[in-house]
Amino acid sequence: MSRKMVTIDGNQACTHIAYATSEVITIYPITPSSPMAAEADAKATAGQKNIWGSVPVISQMQSEGGVAGSLHGSLATGALCTTFTASQGLFLMLPNMYKIAGELTPTVFHVTARSVACQGLSIFGDHGDVMGARQTGWAMLCSQNVQEAQDMALISTQATLASRIPFMHFFDGFRTSHEIQKMEQVSNDDMLAMIDEKLITEHRLRALTPDRPSMSGTAQNPDVYFTGRETVNKYYNAVPGIVQETMNKFAALTGRKYRLFDYHGATDATDVVVVMGSGAETVGAAIDHLIAEEGRKIGMVIVRLFRPFDCKAMVNALPPTVERITVLDRCKEPGAPGEPLYLDVRAAVSEAAEANPAMIMPLILGGRYGLGSAEFSPAMVKAVYDNMAALAPKNKFCVGPNDDVTFSSLDYDKSYNIEGEDVYRAMFYGLGSDGTVGANKNTIKIIGTETDNSAQGYFVYDSKKSGSMTVSHLR
């Protein structure tokens, strides 16, 4: 079946699925997720129908706290619901998210992962917000590019219905949400084929109704609360298998194959990076170049399902030749012994080594990159691999900033470039609200739509928005 090729950004790719597979969409705008809410609202106003032939009900609340409460109520009536959020907006939803997960209620929240205000506010992208929500009991599925922002949105929608565990589907704010790429769009028929109608019926039958009395939202004493928390184990244990099964179903439909942890690189790699989100695109490009030019034995593991974290699947994704691992986190947890993904990988590998005495425990290093949408380039990736190969490698480093206080940063060659001669790239400078970004968005969409070229557009804004400098990158 031939599918439509479209040139759109990550937010549009995600909304294409979210709108078509929902009945209730409750919104409150927050950068950089606002375009998803705006597009959903515009579609409903125009009378566009979802895949079941009804127009979703769109409501804007007074805050993200109101969104979470409203969605919790809508889900309890058996409706199919979603929302879009990020950063402090996600944090305002946390109390309800604990309840939604505790009541085993399927839904997907789409998150444009963004920095959290610490020493200063930042509207830009990293994993600070989603990592702050990782204890809520929600499954967490990560997209690394615009194509995956669509694909994982659909996979998570089916997986949440099958598992009854709510899903946070997230992708990097601005870096993926506002990046324009040429991608293959799934059709309404694809969505209908992916989503199991029986599971929707089961969700409806669990709705609150006087015809089938049930009790939830109780207060519990010590004699039952702990026991109650343990009853959910079987549901979480089943999630990785359900997600992989859903990915396999998606592959049979579209030809795009995904795994919970995907490996890319040399089959005999000794040095492996573990990374999640858009950073994997950069690492992958650098790996291909370093293998072709220098014959390096390097690779990477791309993390897609971060919660529940399947330790066996993660370890099985590693090549048996691995000697050194660097885990790259796009967040900072001050005071912790390491960042979240680093600690999870360390636990997974050490548990595997304890269970298998023949396994040689690799060296595991951790590093931070790309906080607040800071640049993450192939030059920095090369520095990460060079660090692993060093006699005294640096651990718990950062790559990008120049840390001249605690000296945690890696040095890198700013002139290092891997781009081929077949790539044409241009940069346009403008002032916020002067039309430069809009004109360049149109240009890259025309090139992507009207020619056979692959097209990519990425736009750098300033926190001050109107009147400050913008940079449009076109490839």
Side-chain angles (χ1 to χ4, degrees):
M1 187 197 299
S2 64
R3 289 182 182 81
K4 192 162 85 170
M5 297 299 292
V6 293
T7 307
I8 56 177
D9 66 28
N11 278 332
Q12 291 172 298
C14 181
T15 310
H16 173 64
I17 301 293
Y19 182 86
T21 58
S22 297
E23 295 166 319
V24 174
I25 303 177
T26 311
I27 56 175
Y28 191 82
I30 182 168
T31 305
S33 72
S34 304
M36 290 194 282
E39 185 168 352
D41 198 20
K43 287 182 177 200
T45 303
Q48 186 172 324
K49 293 177 178 175
N50 62 21
I51 57 174
W52 300 288
S54 65
V55 177
V57 176
I58 313 284
S59 307
Q60 181 168 319
M61 304 301 286
Q62 86 297 350
S63 77
E64 289 89 357
V67 168
S70 171
L71 283 177
H72 188 191
S74 300
L75 288 163
T77 69
L80 300 171
C81 308
T82 194
T83 190
F84 318 103
T85 192
S87 196
Q88 282 82 224
L90 177 64
F91 288 176
L92 286 170
M93 298 184 181
L94 292 180
N96 282 88
M97 289 173 70
Y98 276 98
K99 291 292 292 177
I100 291 166
E103 292 162 8
L104 295 170
T105 310
T107 184
V108 183
F109 286 8
H110 301 277
V111 181
T112 50
R114 178 189 139 178
S115 310
V116 178
C118 296
Q119 80 285 354
L121 180 139
S122 172
I123 62 168
F124 299 100
D126 61 37
H127 298 163
D129 54 0
V130 291
M131 289 303 177
R134 70 187 187 277
Q135 200 186 320
T136 53
W138 284 51
M140 297 170 67
L141 191 64
C142 181
S143 300
Q144 64 163 326
N145 55 35
V146 175
Q147 181 74 64
E148 288 187 20
Q150 170 199 257
D151 296 355
M152 296 300 160
L154 182 53
I155 288 165
S156 57
T157 302
Q158 163 62 14
T160 191
L161 287 164
S163 66
R164 293 187 59 190
I165 301 298
F167 270 66
M168 256 185 285
H169 163 235
F170 67 96
F171 45 95
D172 291 351
F174 285 111
R175 182 61 268 179
T176 303
S177 67
H178 284 60
E179 178 187 332
I180 293 172
Q181 265 190 18
K182 192 171 183 174
M183 54 155 269
E184 186 180 280
Q185 193 168 56
V186 299
S187 65
N188 284 5
D189 289 340
D190 293 329
M191 294 185 227
L192 284 165
M194 276 297 295
I195 295 173
D196 188 338
E197 293 287 334
K198 283 190 304 181
L199 299 173
I200 297 172
T201 304
E202 288 171 15
H203 173 56
R204 303 237 194 273
L205 291 172
R206 290 191 294 266
L208 289 175
T209 168
D211 298 332
R212 290 184 304 277
S214 61
M215 182 167 63
S216 68
T218 59
Q220 295 177 340
N221 284 336
D223 55 342
V224 294
Y225 180 82
F226 191 173
T227 308
R229 286 312 292 141
E230 295 302 319
T231 61
V232 301
N233 294 345
K234 66 177 184 179
Y235 292 94
Y236 287 91
N237 293 343
V239 171
I242 288 169
V243 173
Q244 189 58 63
E245 191 181 307
T246 308
M247 287 173 165
N248 295 345
K249 185 178 179 182
F250 184 84
L253 199 65
T254 66
R256 287 190 294 282
K257 297 176 183 175
Y258 299 115
R259 300 192 64 77
L260 307 183
F261 299 88
D262 263 321
Y263 180 75
H264 177 83
T267 53
D268 59 348
T270 54
D271 295 345
V272 174
V273 162
V274 181
V275 67
M276 178 165 62
S278 62
E281 296 252 277
T282 307
V283 176
I287 285 171
D288 293 343
H289 184 82
L290 287 166
I291 290 174
E293 295 295 314
E294 301 177 24
R296 291 220 196 172
K297 293 182 178 182
I298 57 174
M300 72 164 168
V301 171
I302 305 163
V303 180
R304 290 208 167 85
L305 185 70
F306 176 66
R307 284 288 180 271
F309 195 86
D310 188 331
C311 292
K312 285 184 179 175
M314 189 269 138
V315 173
N316 287 338
L318 293 166
T321 49
V322 66
E323 295 174 10
R324 292 169 289 273
I325 299 169
T326 296
V327 185
L328 292 176
D329 275 271
R330 197 162 200 159
C331 68
K332 184 173 177 67
E333 190 173 340
E339 268 55 65
L341 184 58
Y342 165 80
L343 294 179
D344 287 356
V345 171
R346 182 167 272 282
V349 176
S350 61
E351 283 178 14
E354 285 169 10
N356 179 13
M359 177 179 167
I360 298 168
M361 179 75 183
L363 173 71
I364 303 177
L365 307 171
R368 293 175 298 281
Y369 75 98
L371 269 66
S373 284
E375 182 62 34
F376 182 55
S377 66
M380 296 176 197
V381 176
K382 183 176 182 296
V384 170
Y385 283 110
D386 289 346
N387 180 60
M388 271 192 273
L391 286 172
K394 204 175 258 192
N395 194 12
K396 298 174 188 174
F397 59 81
C398 63
V399 61
N402 176 24
D403 176 13
D404 57 358
V405 179
T406 58
F407 308 104
S408 64
S409 50
L410 296 183
D411 292 329
Y412 66 96
D413 178 4
K414 292 184 175 63
S415 65
Y416 183 76
N417 180 34
I418 67 168
E419 200 162 83
E421 291 180 7
D422 58 337
V423 177
Y424 180 85
R425 65 176 169 183
M427 288 170 67
F428 295 83
Y429 293 90
L431 293 173
S433 302
D434 71 355
T436 304
V437 169
N440 283 302
K441 282 185 176 180
N442 290 335
T443 301
I444 203 75
K445 285 178 182 178
I446 291 166
I447 293 168
T449 308
E450 302 299 328
T451 74
D452 292 331
N453 294 317
S454 293
Q456 183 186 34
Y458 179 62
F459 309 92
V460 180
Y461 306 84
D462 189 280
S463 302
K464 295 188 287 294
K465 301 184 181 179
S466 294
S468 54
M469 192 170 76
T470 63
V471 188
S472 303
H473 296 258
L474 274 60
R475 278 199 184 117

